[in-house]
């Protein structure tokens, strides 16, 4: 979603004034590079750098929006500057949604307590059943323990902003940044994979 918004804004910059176009494209190239650096800093758990890069991203959003407003105020009859403004808004919305999901949407403590309670209760019931029958199934015990451990590990990993087991594929952002830096021609649908 964010890659498409950046791509649209980069293309939409063609519809605004020449001076604004050059400035907007430079800001968009810097933003794409910054997004890749932010992802790398998050992988390395350098949260101070991540916070600073997020602030820089938001400053770039403000500058892009100021360009969009300026272009709309001085728009001529043949320029459709609204496309650029809509793309900048889409970029901002995608950025906000990503931050919300990564930093603020945490799993509720009630859900964590319920998961731990269910795991504990299952182990107690297994122990009680083994005491009643006088036999204990090693396979069933290990299977249950491994299953609960795996589920809790996966949920914990998904709940953290900087996940270690699951990584978002950044290839589209890399390709977009590369095209923007190299001034390569844009082919329709090249960014949709």
């Amino acid at each position: 979603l964010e890659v498409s918004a950046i791509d649209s804004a980069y293309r939409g910059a063609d519809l605004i004034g020449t001076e604004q176009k050059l400035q907007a494209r430079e800001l968009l190239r810097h933003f794409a590079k910054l997004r890749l650096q932010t992802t790398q800093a998050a992988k390395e758990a350098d949260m101070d750098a991540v916070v600073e890069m997020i602030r820089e991203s938001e400053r770039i959003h403000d500058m892009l929006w100021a360009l969009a407003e300026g272009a709309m105020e001085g728009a001529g009859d043949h320029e459709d500057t609204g496309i650029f403004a809509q793309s900048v808004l889409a970029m901002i919305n995608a950025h906000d949604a990503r931050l919300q999901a990564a930093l603020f949407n945490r799993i509720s403590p009630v859900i964590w307590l319920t998961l731990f309670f269910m795991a504990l209760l299952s182990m107690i019931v297994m122990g009680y059943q083994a005491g009643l029958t006088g036999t204990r199934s090693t396979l069933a015990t290990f299977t249950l323990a491994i299953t609960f451990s795996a589920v809790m590990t996966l949920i914990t990993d998904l709940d953290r902003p900087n996940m270690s087991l699951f990584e978002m594929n950044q290839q589209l952002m890399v390709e977009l940044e590369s095209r923007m830096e190299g001034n390569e021609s844009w082919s329709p649908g090249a960014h949709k994979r």
Side-chain angles (χ1 to χ4, degrees):
L1 183 63
E2 192 171 27
V3 172
S4 295
I6 297 168
D7 185 4
S8 297
Y10 195 81
R11 294 178 197 218
D14 282 338
L15 302 173
I16 61 178
T18 306
E19 201 172 297
Q20 293 166 321
K21 168 186 168 178
L22 296 174
Q23 192 177 356
R25 285 197 162 184
E26 184 57 37
L27 286 170
L28 289 164
R29 279 192 289 272
H30 179 57
F31 182 78
K33 191 178 294 184
L34 191 63
R35 275 286 289 110
L36 291 170
Q37 291 169 349
T38 305
T39 302
Q40 186 60 39
K43 281 183 192 174
E44 295 167 0
D46 186 355
M47 293 314 286
D48 290 335
V50 169
V51 168
E52 186 52 43
M53 289 179 197
I54 289 170
R55 288 184 181 136
E56 177 66 17
S57 296
E58 290 170 352
R59 283 191 288 268
I60 292 171
H61 287 155
D62 292 341
M63 288 187 271
L64 286 168
W65 184 247
L67 284 173
E69 281 183 323
M72 290 180 77
E73 287 172 4
D77 294 338
H78 302 295
E79 294 178 321
D80 187 7
T81 56
I83 293 173
F84 178 70
Q86 287 173 352
S87 299
V88 171
L89 280 177
M91 273 178 61
I92 294 169
N93 290 339
H95 174 80
D96 291 346
R98 186 172 43 81
L99 284 182
Q100 182 71 26
L103 301 176
F104 302 109
N105 288 347
R106 313 273 23 113
I107 293 176
S108 166
V110 172
I111 293 174
W112 282 116
L113 289 174
T114 303
L115 282 171
F116 284 117
F117 180 71
M118 287 172 49
L120 179 65
L121 191 60
S122 298
M123 295 298 174
I124 289 171
V125 168
M126 287 263 322
Y128 183 72
Q129 189 266 340
L132 285 178
T133 61
T135 61
R136 183 177 73 155
S137 170
T138 307
L139 177 65
T141 303
F142 280 119
T143 302
L144 187 64
I146 289 170
T147 301
F148 272 109
S149 299
V151 167
M152 298 235 189
T153 300
L154 291 173
I155 291 171
T156 302
D157 198 62
L158 287 170
D159 190 45
R160 291 183 304 175
N162 114 14
M163 300 178 291
S164 57
L165 295 177
F166 302 100
E167 291 184 17
M168 296 297 287
N169 186 348
Q170 293 294 316
Q171 190 57 39
L172 286 175
M173 186 65 78
V174 169
E175 288 178 15
L176 176 65
E177 194 262 340
S178 157
R179 286 193 310 248
M180 289 166 72
E181 285 295 325
N183 291 326
E184 296 174 21
S185 61
W186 294 89
S187 59
H191 63 289
K192 298 174 184 173
R193 287 190 182 175

